[in-house]
Each structure stands twice: as structure tokens, then as C-alpha cells.
Amino acid sequence: MEIPGQLSAQTTATGYAVDLYKLPGVPLVDEHEMESAFMAPIDDEAVRARDLLLGEIAPIEGRIRNAWGRFVLSLMLRNPEEVAAFKRNYTDLVMTPQQEFQSKHDAIKLEEDPALFEDWMVQSDATHVEWSAMFAITTFIEHPPALRLFQRMQWIIIDTSCVKRRLMTSDRPVIFTQGMLQYAGHYALPISPTRLFLAATTVDFARQFAALRPGKIVRETNRLVLRQARKYVYAIDGSHLADVRREMGKQSPPTILGPMTRAAEARKSER
């Protein structure tokens, strides 16, 4: 059972939300096309990589590494709050007037058409902006520079089974530092109660991190996972409930919306 805001010890699936990627303004048969044609294959293709990583084997095949990279990046967006924020930012970006589009609209608009291109676009198809926002999500998950960097990173699996404390995960499980494309950055993700996936840009950092005491690795990973969590935390039992109550939600989770937000603000300042 999952307990909102607390800890779930018996869960068969996590991170599921009804109609999270539902497409508006399309035939009923196509409403869940994004889930079935894009998100589901990401999960399916990541299974082989996950199985190798659980066996402490870092995959070397490019296709498998790419599949795992897409999955990890998708985890930073695949929750209701982030999808809603993405839609808001995307709408703000699209609906900010741009002279190029306005000039073209002025040249061809009819007398009964709205004066502003943005108003005409909404009048023509009220669902267009939201519909296109959902497809724009895929471009962020498959951002080529981020995926290339991720594939080239040093991948290691850290076994923490020698300590009593177990790793937890949450609705915001990915830990990353220094931003998505920074050379000094790294990604970490608990993939089981005793296995931590780490992708680092330098061999030295990966070795130094792996050399830390397993107990410290588990403690610090759990602290960050809890602080990023917003609604759910997952563990093998309720022994960490006090930690959950103390740490949950105290830190902003990683986001991929930064570039979009900055672009929207830049357009506003140009008006």
C-alpha cells in the first residue's frame, strides 16, 4: 500500500498516474499514443540495461546505454507536477508574441481573424498548444547532447548489501549535480535496496565515490532521495519512517525545465 507523504513498504509499481500523457483534441483511439508509442518503449528497452546493472555489469553496447540514458532522463519529467510545470512553461513560451510569426500572420490574415497570431492560433485549435507541449516533452527526454554525455560517462554499480540499512527510492529518485551537461556532474539512482547506479564524468570521481564507506553512501543517498521526494517514498519496511518525516520535501528535485524557463523569460524581456 502507498501512503501519500509517508513511506510505502509493499509496492509492485511506482510512479504511475492516470492519463498523465493523455493527448487532447485527438480521436479517442489516439489519446494514449504518447504513452504506448513513446513512454512504454523507453521502459521496455531499459529493462535489459537494468538487468545487467543489477548483476553489476556496466553495459558497453551503445543501444543499451542509450536506452538506459533515456530512461534516467525521463524519470526527471515523469510525474504530474513536472508535466504540469512543463505545460505551463511551454504555453508561456509559445504564447509570448514573436515578431516573425506576427509579420507572417499580418500578411495573410482575413478581416475576421484576430489581430494577434497567438489569438488566431488558439481560435483555430484550442488544444494545439497543450497537444504540442506533450510532444515537446519527448525532445527533452531525447536531448542529444545530454544523451551523448550520459553514454560517455563512467558507469558503476555500488553494492551496499554489507550494511544493514537499505537504499530507498521515491517519486523523485534521480540525483544529479552540476546540471545536465556539465563536465563535473554525475547522476545517481537507486535501482534496488542494495544497488546504487552511478554515472560520473571522470574516472577519479567514480573511484573516490565507490571507495566511500557503504554505510555513508546509503545514508547520504537516502537523505537526498528523501529531500527530493514530494508525495511518495518507497522502502522495504517502515524502519526509516522517522527519517522520512524529518527530511521529506526539503530540497528542490532535479528538473529539465531550466532552459525552457530561461527562454520564456528572455522572450518576455524582448517585448
Side-chain angles (χ1 to χ4, degrees):
M1 180 177 67
E2 296 183 1
I3 306 175
Q6 296 189 25
L7 183 147
S8 176
Q10 297 179 349
T11 302
T12 57
T14 68
Y16 178 76
V18 176
D19 292 337
L20 183 58
Y21 309 109
K22 183 179 178 180
L23 297 173
V26 300
L28 289 176
V29 69
D30 297 324
E31 283 185 337
H32 299 284
E33 182 71 13
M34 185 173 173
E35 176 65 44
S36 61
F38 184 77
M39 294 300 181
I42 285 179
D43 295 341
D44 293 343
E45 292 171 8
V47 168
R48 187 178 177 190
R50 179 209 61 190
D51 291 345
L52 289 172
L53 293 168
L54 286 173
E56 298 186 40
I57 301 173
I60 59 175
E61 183 182 334
R63 181 175 178 179
I64 298 178
R65 290 176 75 89
N66 182 69
W68 185 248
R70 293 169 71 216
F71 174 73
V72 173
L73 293 180
S74 76
L75 290 179
M76 288 188 282
L77 188 56
R78 296 170 73 172
N79 60 78
E81 295 80 13
E82 193 78 354
V83 169
F86 188 98
K87 288 181 179 179
R88 288 194 302 270
N89 279 272
Y90 186 88
T91 300
D92 198 17
L93 187 65
V94 171
M95 296 302 292
T96 300
Q98 298 183 65
Q99 188 56 50
E100 177 186 358
F101 294 138
Q102 185 62 45
S103 296
K104 293 180 179 179
H105 175 64
D106 290 341
I108 63 173
K109 74 179 190 309
L110 303 176
E111 183 177 348
E112 63 270 20
D113 289 337
L116 293 177
F117 167 76
E118 291 74 27
D119 293 338
W120 173 84
M121 180 172 58
V122 173
Q123 179 179 286
S124 300
D125 183 357
T127 65
H128 172 75
V129 175
E130 183 179 0
W131 179 86
S132 58
M134 296 306 295
F135 280 99
I137 287 175
T138 66
T139 67
F140 275 72
I141 291 174
E142 295 195 315
H143 189 48
L147 284 177
R148 284 195 297 269
L149 176 62
F150 194 90
Q151 289 186 66
R152 291 196 298 264
M153 283 179 162
Q154 302 295 320
W155 291 15
I156 62 173
I157 295 297
I158 299 173
D159 182 358
T160 64
S161 59
C162 62
V163 296
K164 182 178 180 180
R165 186 181 293 265
R166 295 307 188 213
L167 292 165
M168 291 184 284
T169 189
S170 74
D171 51 8
R172 305 292 192 282
V174 180
I175 303 165
F176 83 98
T177 62
Q178 306 297 332
M180 291 176 65
L181 299 177
Q182 297 300 313
Y183 180 70
H186 74 270
Y187 294 79
L189 174 69
I191 58 174
S192 86
T194 60
R195 298 289 189 278
L196 177 69
F197 167 77
L198 176 72
T201 51
T202 67
V203 175
D204 288 343
F205 177 86
R207 290 174 177 171
Q208 291 171 11
F209 189 92
L212 295 174
R213 297 190 308 276
K216 182 175 182 178
I217 290 175
V218 172
R219 184 169 60 253
E220 289 303 308
T221 298
N222 284 347
R223 183 180 68 85
L224 290 172
V225 166
L226 289 178
R227 291 177 74 88
Q228 293 179 174
R230 288 299 179 268
K231 189 175 181 181
Y232 293 107
V233 172
Y234 307 95
I236 61 172
D237 56 41
S239 61
H240 303 295
L241 193 55
D243 294 336
V244 174
R245 289 170 174 163
R246 183 178 62 255
E247 298 287 353
M248 187 171 180
K250 289 189 174 181
Q251 180 174 313
S252 297
T255 179
I256 64 175
L257 296 179
M260 176 181 290
T261 303
R262 289 191 292 272
E265 292 302 320
R267 284 189 183 177
K268 287 182 180 179
S269 65
E270 293 172 355
R271 295 178 62 182

